[in-house]
Amino acid sequence: MKYYGNVFRPPSEARSLIIQATIGCAHNDCTFCYMYKDEPFIVRKFEDIVADLEEIREYFPRFERIFIADGDALVLKTEDLLKLLQYIKDNFPNVKRVSAYATAGDINRKSIEELKQLYDMGLEMLYIGFESGDDEILKEIKKGLTVDDYTKAMDKCKDVGFKTSITIIVGLGGREKWEQNAINTAKLITATKPDYVSYLTMRLYQNTPLYRDYKEGKFEMPNAEELLVEMRLFLENVDSEGTIFRSNHASNYVSLGGTLNKDREMLIRQIDETLKNKNFRPEVLRGF
Ligand code: SF4
């Protein structure tokens, strides 16, 4: 099995077979994102993907989960994705779940019929990076998407039946826009009610435009305490019954997990305890 460049997958896909159907990210413009900055976006040939899979199938035919990488595999033409999903169905009979990263733009570009075909062929779960629910911040970070795009994409996912796992980022608005980041992201999660929310903590990476803004004094990075206050404000405002909430990523200063809304008070209490005792996850452990 060959992999090219940096390969990323959600933490919950740690035991999945990763299939690199594309290399890099078709958008690759978000100012905070370091993931594929040095890689051109490439759609791999179906024959090459299958050659890799044939190789691994010989030794590990019993995978139960498959994750289609890289950054936004749903950007592929529907017919190409269907071909790949059909191959998985025919050759990995133990697979119970296929998932992929997707952008709201990818989802909105496909018709409901196309999305249904993908779902029926086994694509069950989509990981979507909202990052923020604030249009001003989304514009500043060059996400290329709006709150309206997210809402439309999530409506389509619900119509089709996809499970959705959403990433949001505390600190993305810097010190200046922390309140609007918390409140408007809570509003977006409330409006879209995903199955899972993963709350990451902003980190500055040297090869990103946002890092350059930070060095030039145009972006003020909140400290650990301020970031937890922002998370607290998000939790106070979100209303998304049944959503599994996690902030257990390596980037987070405190590891939280629970189900909204029933665990909201417990999650807020954990934040308050951490703020009181100042026992934030040490910086040295926040590397990936
Ligand atoms: S955050 Fe996602 S969409 Fe934006 S550049 Fe990174 S991988 Fe691409």
Side-chain angles (χ1 to χ4, degrees), residues 20-233:
Q20 211 174 10
T22 60
I23 300 171
C25 163
H27 178 60
N28 212 12
D29 207 22
C30 300
T31 61
F32 67 93
C33 177
Y34 69 101
M35 288 162 65
Y36 308 106
K37 279 284 176 278
D38 305 322
E39 292 170 24
F41 176 71
I42 294 170
V43 174
R44 293 188 68 208
K45 283 191 191 137
F46 181 70
E47 300 73 46
D48 293 344
I49 303 168
V50 167
D52 282 353
L53 291 172
E54 285 295 316
E55 198 180 300
I56 199 139
R57 188 162 69 102
E58 211 177 307
Y59 302 101
F60 304 104
R62 296 189 174 276
F63 275 103
E64 293 193 349
R65 286 184 177 193
I66 285 185
F67 177 75
I68 307 177
D70 274 343
D72 55 346
L74 214 73
V75 78
L76 287 174
K77 285 186 194 153
T78 303
E79 63 201 69
D80 293 343
L81 270 170
L82 285 171
K83 224 156 80 172
L84 180 56
L85 291 165
Q86 180 72 63
Y87 172 86
I88 292 169
K89 229 181 201 358
D90 294 343
N91 295 281
F92 289 85
N94 293 312
V95 166
K96 295 194 176 80
R97 186 175 96 179
V98 182
S99 54
Y101 282 132
T103 69
D106 301 333
I107 296 164
N108 289 336
R109 271 186 291 277
K110 294 200 190 294
S111 67
I112 283 280
E113 289 67 35
E114 287 176 287
L115 294 169
K116 275 191 176 136
Q117 282 179 315
L118 293 170
Y119 180 79
D120 291 343
M121 193 59 90
L123 183 62
E124 188 190 315
M125 171 109 167
L126 296 178
Y127 292 89
I128 307 166
F130 280 2
E131 331 306 359
S132 172
D134 183 85
D135 272 333
E136 207 183 335
I137 295 171
L138 289 171
K139 196 167 174 195
E140 280 171 10
I141 63 163
K142 297 193 175 169
K143 185 72 189 172
L145 292 164
T146 62
V147 166
D148 196 38
D149 294 325
Y150 289 143
T151 313
K152 277 189 195 135
M154 289 298 281
D155 283 348
K156 287 174 103 172
C157 287
K158 285 215 162 87
D159 279 356
V160 171
F162 286 121
K163 282 204 172 68
T164 51
S165 180
I166 302 302
T167 303
I168 54 174
I169 306 177
V170 62
L172 199 55
R175 275 204 172 115
E176 196 193 339
K177 298 192 174 104
W178 73 274
E179 272 179 292
Q180 67 191 74
N181 193 36
I183 291 173
N184 290 332
T185 303
K187 276 188 192 158
L188 179 60
I189 296 298
T190 300
T192 55
K193 294 188 174 31
D195 297 289
Y196 300 89
V197 166
S198 184
Y199 210 174
L200 310 188
T201 296
M202 177 68 198
R203 278 180 55 113
L204 288 163
Y205 292 91
Q206 288 195 9
N207 65 344
T208 62
L210 195 61
Y211 182 78
R212 288 194 285 280
D213 283 353
Y214 164 73
K215 289 308 255 185
E216 289 166 15
K218 294 180 196 156
F219 179 86
E220 268 195 277
M221 184 65 204
N223 61 29
E225 215 160 324
E226 291 164 327
L227 289 162
L228 288 201
V229 172
E230 184 179 326
M231 285 178 99
R232 192 185 197 287
L233 186 62

